[in-house]
């Protein structure tokens, strides 16, 4: 006297239901988000991958990101994330991510480790040199043979990224204009 396939499946379903109901109501399982993020600092931010601007909730503990998820209160994504946004946790917690400034001198075949102070000073110096070398106060218009004030540099261009929110984009463009850069573009437009 064997059991039929139907009886086997019914028994399995009953056993699964009994296991699911065996815990006390309201008890959190080990995979519960409430238990996983208990005692963490919660910060909201914007996904850096594209120009949509999906909202994220980031949980940190002792300065380390331990969880990222979509923000259900955010008007754009209402908690949902694309595959790249869903995998954002790996950006913060990846042992292959560069943590230091790496510099390769012109003509060299070796990378050197440099400090952030050195890199930022070098970037500022190179920007200043380029601006001084390529800055134009006036430009001659060939149609009417008049000189016009332009105050710009053609030696630099600024390219923004979608990880910037509106306020950061505003400051970025103000900085670029103050430098005299007329060639501004943003990744979201390309």
């Amino acid at each position: 006297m064997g059991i039929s396939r139907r009886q086997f499946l019914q028994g399995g379903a009953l056993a699964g239901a009994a296991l699911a109901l065996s815990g006390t109501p309201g008890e959190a399982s080990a995979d519960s988000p409430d238990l996983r993020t208990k005692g963490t600092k919660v910060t909201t931010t914007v996904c850096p991958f594209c120009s949509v601007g999906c909202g994220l909730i980031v949980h940190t503990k002792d300065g380390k990101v331990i969880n990222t998820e979509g923000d259900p209160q955010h008007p754009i994504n209402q908690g949902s994330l694309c595959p790249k946004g869903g995998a954002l946790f790996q950006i913060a917690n990846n042992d292959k991510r560069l943590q230091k400034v790496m510099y390769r001198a012109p003509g060299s075949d070796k990378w050197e480790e440099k400090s952030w102070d050195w890199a930022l000073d070098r970037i500022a110096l190179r920007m200043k040199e380029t601006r001084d070398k390529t800055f134009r106060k006036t430009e001659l218009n060939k149609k009417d043979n008049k000189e016009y004030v332009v105050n710009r540099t053609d030696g630099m261009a600024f390219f923004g990224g979608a990880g910037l929110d509106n306020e950061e984009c505003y400051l970025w463009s103000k900085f670029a204009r103050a430098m005299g850069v007329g060639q501004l573009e943003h990744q979201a437009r390309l």
Side-chain angles (χ1 to χ4, degrees):
M1 172 175 180
I3 62 170
S4 70
R5 180 173 177 232
R6 181 182 190 98
Q7 291 170 330
F8 175 76
L9 292 174
Q10 285 175 340
L14 287 173
L19 280 173
L21 296 175
S22 65
T24 57
E27 183 180 315
S29 71
D31 292 332
S32 171
D34 295 334
L35 188 59
R36 188 175 55 225
T37 59
K38 188 175 182 177
T40 62
K41 180 183 177 192
V42 178
T43 308
T44 58
T45 187
V46 179
C47 180
F49 286 116
C50 75
S51 62
V52 173
C54 294
L56 290 166
I57 298 174
V58 180
H59 297 92
T60 55
K61 193 170 200 172
D62 300 326
K64 184 176 178 180
V65 175
I66 62 162
N67 186 53
T68 59
E69 57 192 52
D71 185 356
Q73 302 297 317
H74 200 274
I76 292 175
N77 60 322
Q78 298 174 345
S80 64
L81 293 172
C82 72
K84 286 177 93 173
L88 188 64
F89 176 78
Q90 295 175 19
I91 297 291
N93 297 303
N94 189 336
D95 58 349
K96 294 183 180 173
R97 180 179 178 200
L98 289 179
Q99 300 288 323
K100 298 178 178 149
V101 175
M102 299 302 290
Y103 172 74
R104 190 177 73 179
S108 175
D109 62 347
K110 291 184 280 184
W111 290 92
E112 304 172 49
E113 189 176 302
K114 298 287 185 177
S115 70
W116 278 104
D117 289 335
W118 179 90
L120 292 173
D121 289 344
R122 178 136 171 109
I123 291 168
L125 178 70
R126 298 292 302 266
M127 286 179 73
K128 174 89 169 86
E129 288 173 356
T130 302
R131 184 177 186 270
D132 290 347
K133 201 182 309 182
T134 62
F135 193 79
R136 296 174 21 184
K137 290 183 180 247
T138 60
E139 185 174 279
L140 181 67
N141 187 335
K142 294 178 183 178
K143 289 183 182 177
D144 58 8
N145 210 22
K146 288 184 182 177
E147 274 200 359
Y148 291 92
V149 175
V150 291
N151 286 335
R152 73 168 186 251
T153 179
D154 293 330
M156 286 189 287
F158 273 46
F159 191 71
L164 304 175
D165 60 26
N166 285 343
E167 293 79 12
E168 290 166 331
C169 280
Y170 174 78
L171 292 173
W172 168 82
S173 64
K174 290 299 256 187
F175 174 68
R177 300 284 187 212
M179 292 288 294
V181 174
Q183 296 143 356
L184 291 148
E185 190 54 79
H186 195 276
Q187 173 257 330
R189 291 174 18 109
L190 298 179

